Amino acid sequence: MALRAVHVLNVPSLHQVTENAALAFHSSRLAQGVKDEGEETICGYEWPKFMVMGHRGSGMNMLQSYDTRLKCIKENSILSFNSAAKFPIDFVEFDVQVTKDDYPVIFHDNFIGAEDMGVFKEQRVTDITLLEFLSYGPQKEAGKVERPMLRKTKDGRIFEWKVEKDDSLCTLQEVFQKVEHSKGFNIELKFDDHIVYKEEKIEHVLRVILRVVNKFAKDRPILFSSFQPDAALLMRKLQSTYPVYFLTNGGSEIYADVRRNSTEEAIKVCLGGGLQGIVSEVKAIFRNPGAVTRIKEAKLGIITYGQLNNVAEAVYMQILMGVEGVIVDLVPEITEAVFV
């Protein structure tokens, strides 16, 4: 499979990315085997030179978007993961939180919302039980009444969570048991940006997640990632079987924790804690292309996420730059564009 030629002038400037941009990328498959001396082998698998990961499965839901492709399949669901798995991607990416009664569940937002007596109400996912969490959205059991989900966007608008193909909420255990085994999991360890966590709390959450992973992962490729630097560092200390990557937006937002505010700080976090790589917002890489070189000189992996990965030329440029993988939304369109 050959990459199409692309001219640098065809790569859009960072402010020109739209919700409707087409995605494309080059995909490599995970391959079992032994690497040459000095190279790292993890869980019996070689990392491909370029990985493609389905964002929340078949892509995130943008309920406010006019692009129906972003409202096709319920994000972070078994249906979304298995729909993505029908295409030649390497991993599905999803968000894991732990409920009040210690069940790891798959959900992106910190809060889950519904209408109650005509009023929008939301609950923090980590403050409710598994049964309360699973009561939202379509129900698995016949006769059970669902609580129709609403979603509050960052700007405060509230939308009905309506998609063309809906599915029930799910647990981490279900994902391991029901999602196509050949696909790897990029498990984002989800914590609230606005909460300062004690180490004991983070460790408890990670141990709950690890219990499920250790029991059900078998030989499935696993990658842990987190925006929470202490969570990423602690996950590395708690286990050495699976790689841990530090997520960063590269400075597009500023946090009280300086470790989150630049790619350079992300490199320091990784080197200081023995992490294996960085997942960066793609705009940070294009604004500072030298960061890829510095990351690779530090012998760290580099993967990107973000809407600029919805532009084929931008993805091709990343391949040329040495980026090792992209997290993308429109999986069917991407694979159709590549495997011609």
Side-chain angles (χ1 to χ4, degrees), residues 33 88 202 206:
I202 296 176
L206 298 185

Side-chain angles (χ1 to χ4, degrees), residues 219-250:
D219 62 346
R220 186 191 296 270
I222 303 291
L223 164 69
F224 289 114
S225 60
S226 186
F227 282 104
Q228 221 291 350
D230 294 323
L233 293 169
L234 189 52
M235 180 56 89
R236 183 71 177 104
K237 290 180 181 178
L238 292 176
Q239 61 82 46
S240 58
T241 304
Y242 306 110
V244 182
Y245 277 42
F246 182 41
L247 271 156
T248 178
N249 60 29

Side-chain angles (χ1 to χ4, degrees), residues 241-279:
T241 304
Y242 306 110
V244 182
Y245 277 42
F246 182 41
L247 271 156
T248 178
N249 60 29
S252 59
E253 294 180 55
I254 301 301
Y255 299 90
D257 189 334
V258 296
R259 295 174 296 177
R260 299 190 57 183
N261 290 340
S262 71
T263 305
E264 297 302 323
E265 288 294 332
I267 294 173
K268 292 179 186 177
V269 170
C270 292
L271 294 179
L275 306 186
Q276 285 89 349
I278 292 170
V279 183

Side-chain angles (χ1 to χ4, degrees), residues 158-176:
I158 297 170
F159 294 87
E160 290 184 74
W161 204 319
K162 283 189 174 181
V163 292
E164 182 182 333
K165 299 175 183 177
D166 211 343
D167 196 17
S168 305
L169 299 179
C170 60
T171 66
L172 180 60
Q173 178 176 328
E174 287 179 295
V175 171
F176 274 111

Side-chain angles (χ1 to χ4, degrees), residues 97-225:
Q97 304 184 56
V98 173
T99 61
K100 181 181 179 180
D101 51 348
D102 284 347
Y103 285 91
V105 295
I106 314 302
F107 200 72
H108 173 269
D109 301 358
N110 295 317
F111 292 87
I112 188 167
E115 186 177 297
D116 185 7
M117 303 292 289
V119 178
F120 172 71
K121 290 188 177 180
E122 55 185 357
Q123 297 176 288
R124 185 179 290 278
V125 172
T126 55
D127 286 346
I128 61 177
T129 66
L130 176 63
L131 287 178
E132 290 174 306
F133 174 76
L134 295 177
S135 70
Y136 288 88
Q139 298 297 292
K140 298 182 180 74
E141 297 178 29
K144 260 197 170 183
V145 180
E146 70 173 87
R147 299 180 67 187
M149 292 171 60
L150 301 176
R151 190 177 213 177
K152 190 175 185 178
T153 58
K154 287 184 178 180
D155 59 9
R157 290 181 292 166
I158 297 170
F159 294 87
E160 290 184 74
W161 204 319
K162 283 189 174 181
V163 292
E164 182 182 333
K165 299 175 183 177
D166 211 343
D167 196 17
S168 305
L169 299 179
C170 60
T171 66
L172 180 60
Q173 178 176 328
E174 287 179 295
V175 171
F176 274 111
Q177 293 173 322
K178 298 179 180 179
V179 173
E180 166 59 44
H181 186 75
S182 66
K183 304 304 177 183
F185 287 169
N186 177 352
I187 302 175
E188 181 182 338
L189 309 167
K190 192 77 176 179
F191 292 87
D192 192 326
D193 291 338
H194 302 100
I195 294 178
V196 177
Y197 294 90
K198 293 182 178 180
E199 183 175 336
E200 310 87 77
K201 175 63 176 177
I202 296 176
E203 181 173 348
H204 175 77
V205 169
L206 298 185
R207 287 190 182 278
V208 170
I209 293 170
L210 277 173
R211 280 202 296 268
V212 175
V213 173
N214 291 336
K215 184 174 182 179
F216 295 101
K218 299 181 181 178
D219 62 346
R220 186 191 296 270
I222 303 291
L223 164 69
F224 289 114
S225 60

